[in-house]
Amino acid sequence: MKLNLTYLSFLILFLTRSMGIAQVPEGIQSELVILNVKTGEEKQILKEERHFEAPNWSRDGNYLLINAAGKLEKVALDGTKLGQLFPDQISRVNNDHGISFDGETLVFSKNDEGKSSRIYTIPMAGGEPTLITPNYPSYWHGISPDGQMLAYCAERDGAWDIFVIPTVGGEEIRLTDTEGLDDGPEYSYDGKWIYFNSHRTGRMQAYRMKPDGSGQEQLTFDELDNWFPHPSPDNKSAVIISYLEDQKGAHPFGKDVKLRLLDVETKEIQDLTGVFYGGQGTINVHSWSPDGEWIAFVRYYR
């Protein structure tokens, strides 16, 4: 058994990967924002005194998908609430969810009672959820452009690594096997890379690798904690969320963070936002607009 996290670190990580209810203080305001990565323009979509998380942009660009209190909700770009998505089929969902490139499949991670998080799919046209990962904990983050494979973070034998599995289910394949947490795997739009973050150096940094796990390449090297690189539709950049302070391999709510844009070839980084109150729930999953001009995220207020 390879133990690359202390028990305390494991417990912190498990709690911060859950729905976040225990770690979020009362009276929190959540603000759903879209940000133009080219001009810096921000638009407030929704601000409410409750806790919601992790926006996805629909593949047709018409609405945003968030999770709150174990359910998925649709919000139009003018802030109109469009109701819950599959409220009878989906409950106890956490902040790892998203829509396939062709817009036909919803993938989500659900905190099954007594089993922590496992990954499911459901047709966007409607139907019943299908369990894809019998093993747990498993937290989804990416789907291949052809819709054939899912990429996710999972704890197996005391180690947190990155795995892939066919979208229809089957045998999971381990892609990383280094000391420290590997998390947040997401396919590039051209399918040539899986972007992820890793604590293998003792500080969280952004990486990428080929879809078979080969060619692992570090992309960030600074003193910030860099999480969840979300590759852009033009394959030239990735948005990352950066904690100002070392979080010791955890991804907590309620810290000083900022969003930054990483050039994946030159490795140059520019700030997209100033420092704000956020972290877990701000931008866990893919949130680029289909045209590649906007990203969606959540900013919090105490």
Side-chain angles (χ1 to χ4, degrees):
M1 178 184 295
K2 184 182 76 172
L3 293 175
N4 60 8
L5 293 172
T6 66
Y7 175 76
L8 180 58
S9 295
F10 175 88
L11 181 60
I12 292 172
L13 178 62
F14 177 79
L15 290 174
T16 59
R17 295 304 304 255
S18 70
M19 286 188 290
I21 295 174
Q23 59 171 324
V24 178
E26 294 183 0
I28 285 294
Q29 288 186 319
S30 303
E31 179 187 26
L32 179 59
V33 181
I34 61 172
L35 167 67
N36 190 300
V37 297
K38 297 179 180 179
T39 67
E41 178 187 5
E42 284 191 11
K43 295 181 180 180
Q44 181 190 100
I45 304 301
L46 182 69
K47 186 175 182 180
E48 295 185 322
E49 191 169 329
R50 64 176 179 131
H51 179 242
F52 55 73
E53 301 180 296
N56 307 123
W57 213 297
S58 67
R59 295 300 185 178
D60 61 10
N62 291 333
Y63 65 88
L64 297 165
L65 190 65
I66 58 175
N67 66 283
K71 295 288 189 176
L72 291 175
E73 302 178 14
K74 297 167 65 175
V75 182
L77 298 184
D78 64 1
T80 301
K81 296 181 183 181
L82 302 177
Q84 294 179 344
L85 182 63
F86 305 129
D88 295 331
Q89 291 87 358
I90 298 177
S91 62
R92 300 179 63 86
V93 67
N94 57 49
N95 50 36
D96 296 326
H97 46 76
I99 303 169
S100 62
F101 283 75
D102 62 10
E104 295 184 359
T105 303
L106 173 71
V107 190
F108 62 96
S109 300
K110 173 183 176 180
N111 295 315
D112 286 329
E113 189 169 359
K115 297 184 182 298
S116 77
S117 180
R118 300 194 293 183
I119 299 170
Y120 291 78
T121 62
I122 188 172
M124 287 296 289
E128 292 299 319
T130 299
L131 174 64
I132 305 301
T133 56
N135 294 329
Y136 57 88
S138 301
Y139 295 91
W140 176 81
H141 277 272
I143 186 169
S144 60
D146 62 8
Q148 297 300 303
M149 300 294 290
L150 303 180
Y152 55 102
C153 168
E155 184 273 325
R156 304 288 184 261
D157 300 322
W160 288 88
D161 286 301
I162 290 170
F163 294 77
V164 293
I165 195 171
T167 305
V168 296
E171 183 179 356
E172 64 180 15
I173 303 168
R174 192 185 217 120
L175 296 187
T176 64
D177 189 22
T178 62
E179 292 296 322
L181 168 70
D182 295 326
D183 200 354
E186 194 170 312
Y187 285 88
S188 60
Y189 274 68
D190 58 12
K192 293 181 179 180
W193 300 98
I194 292 176
Y195 287 80
F196 66 104
N197 55 280
S198 176
H199 201 249
R200 62 188 64 183
T201 65
R203 195 66 183 254
M204 196 63 73
Q205 302 289 357
Y207 292 76
R208 68 179 178 181
M209 61 184 165
K210 295 180 181 179
D212 63 0
S214 65
Q216 297 185 22
E217 173 188 4
Q218 187 172 344
L219 300 175
T220 60
F221 299 85
D222 58 25
E223 294 303 311
L224 302 185
D225 259 22
N226 299 306
W227 282 78
F228 300 147
H230 303 300
S232 60
D234 65 6
N235 302 298
K236 295 180 179 180
S237 61
V239 170
I240 57 176
I241 179 171
S242 298
Y243 287 83
L244 271 60
E245 297 181 352
D246 185 1
Q247 302 301 317
K248 310 298 183 184
H251 182 239
F253 172 86
K255 299 292 182 177
D256 286 337
V257 298
K258 58 183 175 179
L259 300 183
R260 303 195 290 167
L261 188 67
L262 166 69
D263 185 308
V264 299
E265 298 304 327
T266 68
K267 300 181 177 60
E268 295 179 354
I269 305 177
Q270 67 181 76
D271 288 356
L272 290 175
T273 70
V275 177
F276 62 92
Y277 185 69
Q280 179 71 256
T282 289
I283 189 168
N284 293 59
V285 282
H286 182 274
S287 63
W288 282 89
S289 63
D291 61 12
E293 294 190 6
W294 300 81
I295 57 168
F297 69 98
V298 179
R299 182 187 285 126
Y300 297 100
Y301 298 89
R302 289 170 284 189

